[in-house]
Amino acid sequence: MSGAGATVRRHRFDGGDGHAQGPQAGDRLLACGGALPFLAAATVPAGRELVLLSGHTPPLIDASALADSTAAYGDTFAQTDGTLRELQSTLHRLGLTMGELVQLRVYVVGDPALGGRMDNEGFSRAYARWFGTPEQPQLVARTRVQVAGLVNPGWLVEIEAVAVA
């Protein structure tokens, strides 16, 4: 089937694919339990539109904190969850849902509370609330990198996305 009604094919990591790195080198399970929900690849059929979404950042959660502090936006878990909520809001304005996402590029700053290391567990726990759930079963292809910083020094997370309309 091709054209506007064609379905996106989502290719899971299956463990036997010879990809020695696996889903991000041993990042298959959360420390708190549960599998991480993301794909090896997604195939977009001809006739479908790609929607490229600019980077989304976390919402302010504490207006009494300095605007350029992590206290204003929360830890990596809170920032990831808030950023995905912001992304969902943008998708809804475009007539799309989280289930129509096919790729995420995630930029994570090292958390000062963790000696400058990225809070992988905090990010992953929040991420797992949004993908591969009974409410939103679709998975996305994903890249996550640690960066030195983002535009606002209080931000620990920025997420770019690609959706299919």
Side-chain angles (χ1 to χ4, degrees):
M1 179 177 184
S2 63
T7 304
V8 171
R9 287 186 16 237
R10 296 171 190 262
H11 311 276
R12 292 178 177 262
F13 283 101
D14 66 9
D17 60 5
H19 184 59
Q21 295 291 311
Q24 300 186 352
D27 194 17
R28 288 185 185 275
L29 298 175
L30 293 167
C32 62
L36 289 179
F38 58 95
L39 301 173
T43 303
V44 178
R48 298 293 298 269
E49 291 182 343
L50 289 181
V51 180
L52 308 175
L53 294 119
S54 291
H56 282 64
T57 54
L60 182 69
I61 62 170
D62 184 353
S64 67
L66 294 174
D68 63 353
S69 69
T70 55
Y73 302 95
D75 62 10
T76 300
F77 174 84
Q79 289 197 28
T80 301
D81 194 58
T83 299
L84 289 168
R85 224 178 9 264
E86 295 290 317
L87 181 58
Q88 180 182 50
S89 180
T90 297
L91 287 166
H92 283 169
R93 284 194 305 275
L94 297 172
L96 301 170
T97 68
M98 295 293 273
E100 290 161 307
L101 291 172
V102 293
Q103 184 182 35
L104 297 179
R105 279 180 296 283
V106 182
Y107 307 95
V108 183
V109 175
D111 188 334
L114 297 176
R117 289 187 341 270
M118 175 174 64
D119 181 4
N120 182 54
E121 179 69 15
F123 168 82
S124 295
R125 279 188 300 111
Y127 175 89
R129 295 176 66 192
W130 289 88
F131 300 99
T133 66
E135 300 80 32
Q136 199 297 98
Q138 298 299 343
L139 303 181
V140 299
R142 183 189 87 194
T143 298
R144 179 189 52 211
V145 296
Q146 181 170 337
V147 297
L150 297 167
V151 172
N152 182 320
W155 294 341
L156 299 174
V157 177
E158 184 168 348
I159 302 174
E160 295 178 342
V162 177
V164 175

